Amino acid sequence: MINPVLRNALAGFGALLLGLGLGRFGYTPLIPVLIQDGWLSAGAAAYLGATNLFGYVAGSLMAATMAKLVPVPRLTRASMVLSAISLIACALPWGFVWFAPWRFLAGFTGGLLMVGAIPLILSRAPLAQRGRSNGIIFTGVGTGIITAGTLVPALAGWGPGPVWIGMGLLALVIAALTWKQWDGDAALPAPPTEAAPARAFTLPVALLLAAYTLDSAGFVPHTVFLADYVARGLERGVAAGGLYWVLFGVGAISGPLMVGFAAEWFGFYRSIIGVLTIKSAAIAIPLFSQHPVALAISAITVGAMTPGISALASGRVVELVGFGAHRKVWGWLTAGFAGASAGVGYLFSFLFDQTHSYNLLFALGAAGVFVAMLLTIFARKPKN
């Protein structure tokens, strides 16, 4: 029988698999299918992606306020169902005007799940098991990436409609499987009642927010340009480029759990410094070697560290502000990262358009994450 702590962590895993893995990242492999079948132009598809990201930022910022008005379990269930409905609604080929509000809703509910549901699960985990709980939860993002990357090609032959419906039905299944768990478990201690500190926005929080936001510079080169770098930059073909995206997803599945155990052994403070250091070095690997093994190590490592950083940052917020202000501060970090990712994505796209240099992007990404690591060194309390 699965113990209560693990059941709660798996509920969080399902929430991120649904809200981010399917609701957000499931759109990426579907873009060429939508364009090829004439459902959207290339420009409209890009704007639709931005609309989803805008919804994610809005949901992240509003989650703490909404959690005061609606009980978090009820808000979580509603977000999961609405996210599934938004996916199914996109099965109708009615153009950008129809898609835009549904993609915004998918992003909005994803933000609510990230900022609303995850703190609830974390508050139920004993201190000694908090690291692994965070790891299990954030593994849902990578699992969703792999699931969408598998589901889209399998159903693409029937057109975009069945793909949207398939992802929506899977989302409903996930919601049903986790439905009862959001009310908690009698075998678990009640979440600690802790008043929010007088000052949630302290210097350590500001430094952690800056570091987490700056980490977005390291998010873009691999998630946007790595496959293209291999396929066209190194002239190894589309299949080879796709392989490295799969390897990135494999890393994203395994990374959060690994860093979760690291947090239990070394603490969140030391672990986030170490992970950012490793991530910076991994982003820079293509600058020094284009050997397939070296690039595979880079893809897997950056894939592992990307959601891994989120797991560590979430746990670190609890250490800095406690559970009372966790949802508010975690909302700041989530919105900051999402907004910065969009901004950095546009900036890097502009730089690439002007220079056609992949190396510049990898260098900037590695440098940004290295600076983020330096900031986290100072994001500490005196007792740490």
Side-chain angles (χ1 to χ4, degrees):
M1 183 176 180
I2 302 176
N3 69 65
V5 174
L6 179 56
R7 282 205 303 273
N8 274 277
L10 289 174
F13 164 90
L16 291 193
L17 193 162
L18 189 162
L20 273 72
L22 297 178
R24 184 177 172 196
F25 293 115
Y27 177 68
T28 302
L30 187 52
I31 289 175
V33 182
L34 292 167
I35 297 172
Q36 178 180 319
D37 283 43
W39 283 35
L40 292 170
S41 67
Y47 281 118
L48 205 59
T51 301
N52 178 257
L53 185 59
F54 180 68
Y56 183 70
V57 173
S60 302
L61 290 174
M62 294 183 63
T65 300
M66 293 184 68
K68 296 177 182 178
L69 303 175
V70 182
V72 176
R74 188 181 302 170
L75 185 63
T76 299
R77 288 168 174 158
S79 296
M80 296 178 85
V81 172
L82 288 173
S83 184
I85 291 173
S86 74
L87 293 171
I88 295 173
C90 288
L92 298 171
W94 292 349
F96 180 85
V97 174
W98 169 257
F99 288 136
W102 294 113
R103 293 308 296 154
F104 178 89
L105 178 62
F108 188 85
T109 53
L112 292 181
L113 290 170
M114 173 65 89
V115 180
I118 302 314
L120 174 64
I121 294 296
L122 188 60
S123 71
R124 294 171 174 171
L127 180 61
Q129 299 180 46
R130 198 166 292 157
R132 73 188 68 182
S133 292
N134 248 337
I136 292 170
I137 291 167
F138 282 91
T139 300
V141 179
T143 304
I145 292 173
I146 294 294
T147 301
T150 303
L151 191 63
V152 170
L155 299 178
W158 286 277
V163 178
W164 286 115
I165 293 173
M167 290 195 293
L169 292 178
L170 178 58
L172 287 175
V173 170
I174 295 169
L177 290 175
T178 61
W179 194 266
K180 291 184 178 180
Q181 197 59 37
W182 294 109
D183 277 336
D185 193 295
L188 284 173
T193 57
E194 179 181 337
R199 293 181 61 225
F201 193 74
T202 61
L203 178 60
V205 167
L207 291 171
L208 182 62
L209 173 60
Y212 192 65
T213 300
L214 193 56
D215 179 59
S216 63
F219 176 80
V220 172
H222 276 61
T223 57
V224 178
F225 293 98
L226 179 62
D228 186 58
Y229 168 66
V230 173
R232 296 193 305 116
L234 300 180
E235 299 181 346
R236 296 180 184 174
V238 174
L243 172 62
Y244 288 97
W245 178 245
V246 172
L247 292 176
F248 182 94
V250 170
I253 290 177
S254 59
L257 192 56
M258 290 191 296
V259 302
F261 282 113
E264 292 182 7
W265 295 330
F266 305 110
F268 286 99
Y269 172 71
R270 293 181 180 86
S271 295
I272 198 169
I273 293 172
V275 165
L276 285 170
T277 303
I278 294 170
K279 184 177 180 181
S280 177
I283 293 169
I285 286 177
L287 298 174
F288 303 99
S289 175
Q290 293 78 46
H291 191 281
V293 174
L295 294 178
I297 292 173
S298 177
I300 293 172
T301 304
V302 177
M305 299 300 100
T306 296
I309 292 294
S310 297
L312 292 175
S314 175
R316 184 62 179 151
V317 167
V318 174
E319 292 184 340
L320 291 175
V321 302
F323 285 111
H326 180 225
R327 184 169 287 112
K328 176 189 289 186
V329 175
W330 181 232
W332 295 343
L333 265 68
T334 301
F337 183 89
S341 295
V344 171
Y346 282 117
L347 174 61
F348 279 22
S349 296
F350 171 78
L351 291 174
F352 182 75
D353 185 53
Q354 297 297 312
T355 66
H356 301 286
S357 172
Y358 296 96
N359 284 346
L360 175 63
L361 307 183
F362 290 123
L364 289 174
V369 175
F370 184 78
V371 173
M373 181 274 294
L374 296 178
L375 291 174
T376 58
I377 293 176
F378 298 99
R380 61 184 297 177
K381 291 182 177 180
K383 66 180 181 179
N384 285 30

